[in-house]
Amino acid sequence: MLLIPISSSSSVLPQSFFNSTSSYSSNHHSLFLSNLSYPIPHGSRKLKTLRLRANFWESIRSGFVKNNNSTQLVEPPSIVDDEEEPLLPVEFTLVERTLQDGLIEEIIFSSGGEIDVYDLQGLCDKVGWPRRPLVKLAAALKNSYMVATLHSVMKSSSVSDSGSSGDNGEQQQEKKLIGMARATSDHAFNATIWDVLVDPEYQGQGLGKALVEKLVRALLQRDIGNISLFADSQVVDFYQNLGFEADPEGIKGMFWYPK
């Protein structure tokens, strides 16, 4: 078992395509988050909402100023402590239901912790993704800005009622990875969501939507307003219903391939 701890302090790995580059064909679309008002639990909600509705490249250009056909870098105001606060892991129950056999199933969302790359590889197999080296899977996870997961936890009703956390209770619980999404970022302006996948047995229950929404809200809480992703043609509508749009202001996603 190879467990990969998710560290918020890890540097972002550029070009770390979780999927093999050959899978990114003309059938993939670049989608960008815009015209959306996700709830922000902290202050300055109005500012964050307006920033999403502003010109797409405004936050990127805001660090530069043109002067007589030349471009100068505008230094940000100095601050005493410019270290980024660590991302605190979040974990809560999305769904709880009683199955016909009497077992209780909980669907747990988590934005931190450890991921077994063998479990992740098995999940990728279920959705039909091509296999990739485990070392690269581990590197992609380690260098991601955020990693969100969904786990199914099965337990007997007696364990749930007693709230036992002892050995007997743990033996009656079964935990299974059923979903994941991750994001890379420059920790300031931009983030890209990658590898949104849900176990086919759990698709059609709104779990993929919940996974993306929770990830987007977490990025907005970090004041990252330019959020993009790449989508297969058959799931473009799914992401558009979540507030993403293709080619905002005529901007095109472009790819370079070795020839």
Side-chain angles (χ1 to χ4, degrees):
M1 178 180 294
L2 178 57
L3 295 176
I4 306 301
I6 305 305
S7 172
S8 60
S9 61
S10 300
S11 60
V12 176
L13 178 64
Q15 306 280 336
S16 60
F17 283 14
F18 197 56
N19 286 332
S20 60
T21 55
S22 60
S23 65
Y24 285 85
S25 64
S26 59
N27 292 327
H28 286 74
H29 299 261
S30 304
L31 300 180
F32 304 86
L33 185 65
S34 63
N35 298 323
L36 192 62
S37 300
Y38 275 88
I40 307 297
H42 301 294
S44 68
R45 173 172 178 167
K46 182 177 181 180
L47 175 62
K48 293 177 185 293
T49 302
L50 291 176
R51 187 168 298 169
L52 287 174
R53 296 174 180 171
N55 184 283
F56 181 78
W57 292 113
E58 180 179 349
S59 63
I60 298 178
R61 292 197 298 259
S62 61
F64 297 86
V65 60
K66 292 184 177 180
N67 184 16
N68 296 330
N69 297 325
S70 65
T71 302
Q72 299 176 350
L73 179 65
V74 179
E75 294 293 339
S78 61
I79 54 179
V80 177
D81 184 9
D82 60 355
E83 290 187 2
E84 186 178 33
E85 296 181 2
L87 294 174
L88 298 178
V90 176
E91 182 172 306
F92 56 88
T93 301
L94 275 177
V95 179
E96 181 175 324
R97 56 195 174 195
T98 302
L99 306 181
Q100 293 182 350
D101 55 7
L103 292 177
I104 294 178
E105 181 181 32
E106 292 182 347
I107 307 298
I108 308 294
F109 171 89
S110 176
S111 64
E114 297 178 335
I115 296 181
D116 188 325
V117 293
Y118 293 101
D119 291 343
L120 179 55
Q121 186 180 64
L123 183 59
C124 293
D125 290 342
K126 287 185 177 181
V127 299
W129 287 9
R131 284 213 164 191
R132 286 136 296 189
L134 291 177
V135 173
K136 287 196 171 185
L137 286 180
L141 292 172
K142 179 181 178 181
N143 292 289
S144 294
Y145 182 60
M146 289 184 182
V147 178
T149 60
L150 294 176
H151 283 88
S152 167
V153 177
M154 296 285 192
K155 54 186 179 182
S156 66
S157 58
S158 60
V159 173
S160 177
D161 294 339
S162 63
S164 171
S165 58
D167 294 339
N168 292 336
E170 291 179 355
Q171 291 175 1
Q172 299 181 61
Q173 297 189 35
E174 178 185 348
K175 187 176 182 180
K176 179 176 65 172
L177 180 68
I178 63 169
M180 192 207 76
R182 67 186 184 95
T184 54
S185 175
D186 57 14
H187 296 220
F189 302 108
N190 312 288
T192 301
I193 296 175
W194 304 92
D195 316 317
V196 180
L197 69 164
V198 175
D199 189 318
E201 296 180 10
Y202 290 85
Q203 292 178 7
Q205 303 178 29
L207 296 179
K209 176 183 177 182
L211 190 60
V212 174
E213 286 180 341
K214 301 301 182 186
L215 189 56
V216 167
R217 289 192 181 110
L219 291 169
L220 294 179
Q221 289 173 22
R222 303 297 296 182
D223 201 22
I224 296 175
N226 290 337
I227 304 173
S228 60
L229 57 80
F230 300 93
D232 289 319
S233 56
Q234 64 267 27
V235 294
V236 168
D237 290 342
F238 168 78
Y239 288 110
Q240 287 180 330
N241 290 333
L242 292 176
F244 290 86
E245 69 174 85
D247 305 332
E249 303 175 26
I251 297 169
K252 300 287 186 179
M254 305 186 74
F255 302 86
W256 182 91
Y257 299 106
K259 298 180 180 180

